[in-house]
Amino acid sequence: MDATRLRRFLLINPNTNALTTQRLRDVLQPLLPPGLALDVQTARFGAPYIACEASHAVAAHACLDVWTTHRGTPTRPLHGVLIGCFGDPGLFALREVSGCPVTGLAEASFIQAGARGPFAIVTGGERWKPMLQRLANSLGYGAQLRHIETVAPTGAALQADPDMAIRCLSQACQNAAQSGVSSIILGGAGLAGYARLLQAHCALPLIDSAQAGWEVLHGQLAPPAPTDQDGFYAPWIGLPPAFTQVPTKENP
């Protein structure tokens, strides 16, 4: 097929860990139907894994940086952007400036899990609990999120040791299942693909956040873009040239 006729989607890994990017690619590439292309990109700067407020804030900037460079052209436009982090850094900013739908692993998982009823989250990194609760509240899912089970290892540590991850996450899922929920989100780019491996150890449906991200974005379940064209609302000083090359929208 002519490359200019492909429906093109952009997946941004907001951390600098190329192994995480590869894991996302490996899990999502087989899900692509003919005629679709998934451009998978890694942040140019930031932390190797996102585990705190500061690394999350820098990751939001890194997402915008990737988008300015890979947002497409009039002949090869983007049809959607997926933030490959279970915390969705830069979600609201990217949605504001992109002329196409944008979602993240967390929002997409909330959409899928919320359709079933109350839900829980299992993820790596203890500092994520208040951050995820705040995100759920801001997206309108605070009441449905009944429990967040964090395990001590970070997502990066779990990704590096699959056997430990299975043991640790299996127990965490069993704990979360006791909270009276209808489903459990296994959250984290580094944990992409683990829901399938852990399902036999849990009586409740497990939602893979990476797979949910793609299904929501491709299935057009993500909130629509505010306008049909890219653009910032303010000029920039001191940022890379790609930022200044993005059109400026009229302020509402």
Side-chain angles (χ1 to χ4, degrees):
M1 176 180 289
D2 184 346
T4 62
R5 300 181 63 183
L6 287 171
R7 287 174 53 83
R8 180 169 164 258
F9 294 82
L10 175 63
L11 169 59
I12 304 172
N13 172 18
N15 71 44
T16 59
N17 189 335
L19 292 177
T20 301
T21 307
Q22 186 61 50
R23 186 171 194 90
L24 287 168
R25 181 185 286 110
D26 290 345
V27 169
L28 297 183
Q29 196 68 41
L31 303 179
L32 301 186
L36 270 66
L38 187 63
D39 185 0
V40 185
Q41 297 292 329
T42 307
R44 289 192 309 115
F45 56 83
Y49 58 91
I50 301 165
C52 62
E53 296 282 7
S55 54
H56 186 272
V58 172
H61 180 188
C63 276
L64 285 168
D65 177 73
V66 171
W67 175 81
T68 60
T69 305
H70 298 275
R71 65 187 183 88
T73 65
T75 57
R76 291 197 67 205
L78 279 179
H79 292 86
V81 179
L82 178 59
I83 302 169
C85 168
F86 193 73
D88 301 358
L91 173 64
F92 301 109
L94 279 169
R95 182 167 290 153
E96 179 184 69
V97 302
S98 298
C100 64
V102 177
T103 192
L105 303 194
E107 181 186 51
S109 299
F110 296 166
I111 290 171
Q112 285 197 346
R116 295 175 178 268
F119 59 89
I121 293 171
V122 168
T123 193
E126 295 176 342
R127 291 181 180 271
W128 272 111
K129 186 171 184 177
M131 296 165 64
L132 289 172
Q133 186 65 63
R134 182 180 65 217
L135 179 62
N137 292 343
S138 68
L139 292 171
Y141 290 92
Q144 287 181 280
L145 175 54
R146 301 290 177 83
H147 181 77
I148 301 175
E149 184 82 12
T150 61
V151 297
T154 64
L158 293 168
Q159 179 179 314
D161 189 342
D163 291 337
M164 180 271 287
I166 292 293
R167 295 193 302 273
C168 184
L169 294 171
S170 176
Q171 183 60 55
C173 287
Q174 292 174 33
N175 294 343
Q178 299 175 21
S179 59
V181 295
S182 300
S183 63
I184 299 170
I185 298 169
L186 195 61
L191 302 185
Y194 273 96
R196 175 179 56 83
L197 301 175
L198 290 166
Q199 188 60 75
H201 302 275
C202 184
L204 294 178
L206 296 180
I207 294 174
D208 185 304
S209 64
Q211 185 171 337
W214 171 247
E215 290 172 351
V216 165
L217 186 64
H218 175 238
Q220 299 182 328
L221 299 175
T227 68
D228 60 0
Q229 64 183 38
D230 296 347
F232 291 115
Y233 288 94
W236 300 109
I237 296 174
L239 290 180
F243 277 81
T244 62
Q245 292 166 5
V246 176
T248 300
K249 298 180 182 181
E250 286 188 20
N251 282 301

